[in-house]
Amino acid sequence: MCVDCACGLAGPGPSPKAGLNVSQKASSSPGFQPPAARSQALSLGLRLLAHNDRQAEANRVRFAAAGLVAVNLLSSPGSGKTALLEALARHNAAAAKPVALAALVGDLATDLDAARLRAAGLAAAPITTGQACHLDAAMVDRGLDALEAGGLDLAHLDLLLIENVGNLVCPAAYDLGEQQRLVLLAVGEGEDKPLKYPATFASADLVVISKVDLAEAVGFERERALANIGAVAPRARTVELSARSGAGLVELMALLG
Amino acid sequence: MHELALIESVARLAIAEAQQRGAEAITAIHLRVGSLAGVDPDALRFAAQVVLADGLAAKARLEIELVLAQAWCSPCAALFDLEAGLSLCPRCGASSGELRCGRELELAALELLLPDQPEPAGCAAGGAT
């Protein structure tokens, strides 16, 4: 509830900015002069993503009914989302007590990533978004249907990993109904990336610093990266991980639980 | 770049509201966009030129109110602005993940042009505000 900053979140008291200036200002359209007596100002406050938010809520209900934890993975293209999922799948298969994993994989034009994950032994369905730069809640709903059509019983799943489209801007705005949001930062991307994309990093529950096996080669400044993550995402937990060496996988699996 | 889809959503909502009220035209569309909403106002304006080119909102002006993200600092018991998205209180330096606003993506208000309706006799002057 926001009563302090007039940002329009539901709360008691009128928001000073919520009202609309009823007076007719100069129209940007030349020659268009509506008589003031016939104009009406209408306060609405409608969320543009309300449709997505409703579907995200339905997804949350579906996840809860199946008793699974859903994780939304976000990063720039090439930060190692698919490699991380492959490594998790292999690590999990070799664990004493493996959990039941599946993945939904968003991609613009191919199902190559889903094929990679299936090769790693993971039940995976592609979500080909076409021109869309992000996954939305309805795509995840259809992805769940595809997993079920492939013979998977969601009720038997413990963990659903949703690999979003590689993009550090748009996916942040779309709630998929996930319980956890994981954002990757590969060591070669630069320590400043969290500062450059604060909207995405600020929404993270978990930040994975990936490709740490390359840290020395690319001159990765670990302390600076951690400070920057802390500056935009103070509540996020951080895991340093190498899909290649397997470092950090145990820690990550424990946090995803 | 999902601004096009967002403006399509704006158009759908705005035109439905306008039609419901029998409006002749939408003269202004007011949006509220948070600084952490992941949306570029210029891209919204560009998309609006395309999406709103015809129909009830063809002559509407687009007003975008930017809402600077704010977080709550517990030690200071006060809000602070997230300049450049940094969740660090400028007063005490503490970090805060308690975002209070900044993710808004809203159709805040519309200004509509309604058809002329004769005023009921005797009610032309004065009256309530």
Side-chain angles (χ1 to χ4, degrees), chain B residues 112-126:
Chain B
L112 302 177
L113 190 65
L114 297 172
D116 264 332
Q117 284 180 351
E119 290 287 322
C123 294

Side-chain angles (χ1 to χ4, degrees), chain A residues 19-230:
Chain A
L20 182 63
N21 185 359
V22 183
S23 66
Q24 286 289 322
K25 296 173 200 161
S27 168
S28 57
S29 320
F32 184 68
Q33 295 291 334
R38 294 168 65 210
S39 75
Q40 183 195 34
L42 188 63
S43 222
L44 291 171
L46 298 173
R47 283 175 305 136
L48 299 186
L49 294 175
H51 183 71
N52 184 74
D53 291 346
R54 278 192 295 274
Q55 181 60 54
E57 200 48 49
N59 290 354
R60 245 186 290 284
V61 169
R62 196 168 176 186
F63 296 144
L68 64 84
V69 171
V71 182
N72 183 4
L73 280 85
L74 277 66
S75 81
S76 357
S79 298
K81 291 184 296 298
T82 311
L84 170 61
L85 296 189
E86 286 175 310
L88 273 178
R90 295 202 172 100
H91 167 79
N92 181 57
K97 284 185 178 177
V99 300
L101 285 178
L104 292 176
V105 190
D107 218 334
L108 292 180
T110 71
D111 67 349
L112 293 174
D113 287 352
R116 267 175 69 183
L117 294 180
R118 285 194 291 265
L122 194 60
I127 302 175
T128 308
T129 61
Q131 296 304 310
C133 48
H134 58 271
L135 292 184
D136 65 30
M139 293 177 196
V140 168
D141 182 50
R142 291 195 292 273
L144 292 171
D145 291 344
L147 282 175
E148 287 186 324
L152 189 78
D153 185 352
L154 295 181
H156 291 157
L157 272 188
D158 301 309
L159 190 57
L160 177 71
L161 302 158
I162 306 168
E163 181 182 335
N164 218 308
V165 178
N167 180 341
L168 271 180
V169 182
C170 312
Y174 290 81
D175 184 5
L176 305 181
E178 75 268 21
Q179 284 100 320
Q180 295 214 56
R181 188 173 284 194
L182 187 160
V183 179
L184 280 88
L185 170 70
V187 293
E189 290 186 76
E191 298 79 359
D192 293 341
K193 208 127 194 196
L195 306 182
K196 292 174 179 168
Y197 297 89
T200 294
F201 280 90
S203 73
D205 300 299
L206 195 54
V207 175
V208 168
I209 299 178
S210 61
K211 308 188 186 182
V212 294
D213 51 291
L214 297 176
E216 199 178 332
V218 298
F220 180 63
E221 296 177 38
R222 177 177 177 273
E223 295 305 322
R224 197 153 71 83
L226 289 172
N228 289 341
I229 293 167

Side-chain angles (χ1 to χ4, degrees), chain A residues 202 230-234, chain B residues 36 71 80 82-89 93-97 99:
Chain A
V232 296
Chain B
L36 289 181
F80 65 90
L82 271 75
E83 300 290 350
L86 290 182
S87 304
L88 298 174
C89 173
S95 63
S96 165
L99 195 66

Side-chain angles (χ1 to χ4, degrees), chain B residues 17-75:
Chain B
E17 291 288 341
Q19 285 175 339
Q20 200 182 327
R21 286 163 176 79
E24 287 178 358
I26 300 169
T27 53
I29 296 175
H30 295 250
L31 303 182
R32 287 165 55 81
V33 174
S35 60
L36 289 181
V39 166
D40 176 30
D42 286 340
L44 282 177
R45 290 184 189 285
F46 180 74
Q49 286 175 15
V50 179
V51 174
L52 304 177
D54 300 311
L56 278 179
K59 291 182 175 176
R61 64 176 202 282
L62 184 64
E63 302 260 341
I64 300 178
E65 180 197 338
L66 288 172
V67 182
L68 185 60
Q70 292 190 312
W72 178 254
C73 175
S74 295

Side-chain angles (χ1 to χ4, degrees), chain B residues 86-110:
Chain B
L86 290 182
S87 304
L88 298 174
C89 173
R91 284 177 292 263
C92 69
S95 63
S96 165
E98 284 188 56
L99 195 66
R100 294 291 174 91
C101 57
R103 294 203 181 276
E104 294 78 3
L105 272 178
E106 286 177 5
L107 173 56
L110 291 177

